[in-house]
Amino acid sequence: MQTGRVVITGAGSGLGRELALRYARAGWRVAVADIDATRAGAVSAEVRALGADAAPFAVDVGDDTSVQALRDAVRAHFGGVDHVVNNAGVASAGDVVDTALADWRWMLEINLLGVVRGCRAFVPDLVAQGRGHVVNIASFAGLAGAPGLASYSVAKAGVVALSESLRAEMALHRTGVGVSVVCPAFFQTNLLQNFRGPETARAMAGRLMQRSADSAAGVAARIYDAVAAGRFLVLPTAQEPLRWRLKRWLPEFYFRKLIATIAAQRPAA
C-alpha cells in the first residue's frame, strides 16, 4: 500500500491508537483525532517517536460542527487526506424493550451517525482527488444477531449497510475511492470505559475480552493488511470468519448455536 495521509477518529486509545501506530510504522502522516485532546496529543507523540509525521485534533463525532471543523483543520495541516478511518464509538448492552430511548439515541448518534458524518465530511475530497479509501469500523455484533446488544448491534449493522451503499456509489461513479467495513468481535481493548447497560452485561463482556487471544495491535495489523489488499468486509478476529460463514450458509444451525452459547455464558438465576 502506498503511503499518504490518514485521519483516524477515536485514535487516542484502544484500536484507534494501534491503527495510528500501524499506519505510522508504514510511513503514513497521521491525523490523530479524539474527543480527548490530551489523549490525542499523547498518541501523536508516540507516532512521531516512530519517525512519522502526526498532529492531534479534538473531535466529537456526535456533533456536526465538530466533524466539519476536523475536516477543515486536517485540510489546513496536511493539505487533505488519503485514508479516512471512522473508528470512534461507544459501547452499550440491553434488550430491545429494556434499553431506554435516550440510550438508543446516544448510541445511534455516535456509532452510526458519527460514521455518516465522517463520510460526508471527507468523501467529497477523496472523490475530487480521484483516489482514497474509507475504513468504517463496525463490529461483528452488526452481523451476529445476538441477544442483549440491541442498540449497539443496530448501530453497527447500520455501519455495515452504510458501507455497502457507499462502496456501490463509489464504484458506480468510478471515483477511484475504496471502502472497507471492519467487523471485529471481542478483543483486548478499553471499549467498556464508556459503557451503558446492565452491570451483568459489562461483566460478561469484560470476561470475553480477557479470554480473547486477539490483541488490539494484532487486530490493527490485520485491518491495515486487509485495506492494503482492497478487501471490503474485514473480519479481523480469529473466530469470526467461520462464524460469518456459518450464519450465511447454515443460518438456523448458527442461530441454535448462538442461543446455546449465550445461555451458557449467563450466570444462573
Side-chain angles (χ1 to χ4, degrees):
M1 178 162 51
Q2 292 182 339
T3 61
R5 305 151 298 177
V6 59
V7 57
I8 305 170
T9 64
S13 63
L15 179 59
R17 170 181 173 271
E18 294 295 345
L19 284 167
L21 298 178
R22 180 63 186 87
Y23 270 92
R25 291 187 186 100
W28 286 68
R29 304 171 68 195
V30 185
V32 180
D34 198 89
I35 196 169
D36 186 322
T38 300
R39 292 192 312 203
V43 174
S44 292
E46 291 185 88
V47 168
R48 287 192 291 270
L50 294 172
D53 185 19
F57 301 89
V59 65
D60 177 0
V61 300
D63 180 80
D64 297 359
T65 302
S66 182
V67 175
Q68 292 162 5
L70 172 66
R71 175 203 58 206
D72 295 344
V74 171
R75 276 180 185 165
H77 188 90
F78 290 108
V81 295
D82 301 290
H83 281 199
V84 177
V85 182
N86 290 306
N87 167 74
V90 292
S92 70
D95 293 346
V96 172
V97 297
D98 295 331
T99 302
L101 280 174
D103 287 347
W104 275 96
R105 293 187 181 99
W106 173 74
M107 174 57 58
L108 295 171
E109 194 69 62
I110 297 171
N111 280 17
L112 176 54
L113 289 179
V115 178
V116 173
R117 290 184 184 97
C119 291
R120 286 176 55 84
F122 287 100
V123 166
D125 286 359
L126 301 182
V127 171
Q129 69 191 18
R131 68 183 189 280
H133 206 100
V134 178
V135 184
N136 292 332
I137 306 299
S139 168
F140 196 71
L143 304 173
L149 297 169
S151 64
Y152 185 78
S153 296
V154 167
K156 294 300 189 178
V159 172
V160 174
L162 167 70
S163 302
E164 290 175 335
S165 293
L166 182 62
R167 180 195 189 197
E169 291 165 5
M170 296 298 99
L172 178 65
H173 299 293
R174 300 181 181 181
T175 63
V177 177
V179 179
S180 295
V181 63
V182 182
C183 296
F186 291 104
F187 61 97
Q188 298 168 26
T189 187
N190 62 346
L191 184 63
L192 297 180
Q193 283 183 351
N194 49 22
F195 176 87
R196 290 188 185 182
E199 284 303 312
T200 53
R202 179 199 289 270
M204 186 170 73
R207 288 194 298 272
L208 290 170
M209 287 181 178
Q210 290 174 356
R211 294 172 189 168
S212 174
D214 295 297
S215 67
V219 170
R222 288 189 283 277
I223 293 169
Y224 183 88
D225 291 344
V227 171
R231 284 167 49 197
F232 171 67
L233 178 62
V234 182
L235 302 170
T237 45
Q239 299 184 46
E240 280 49 61
L242 175 59
R243 288 174 175 164
W244 175 232
R245 292 184 180 94
L246 283 175
K247 186 180 182 186
R248 292 187 66 193
W249 298 339
L250 300 167
E252 291 303 317
F253 173 78
Y254 168 86
F255 181 75
R256 291 193 298 271
K257 292 288 289 183
L258 172 69
I259 298 303
T261 300
I262 297 295
Q265 291 170 349
R266 289 187 169 180

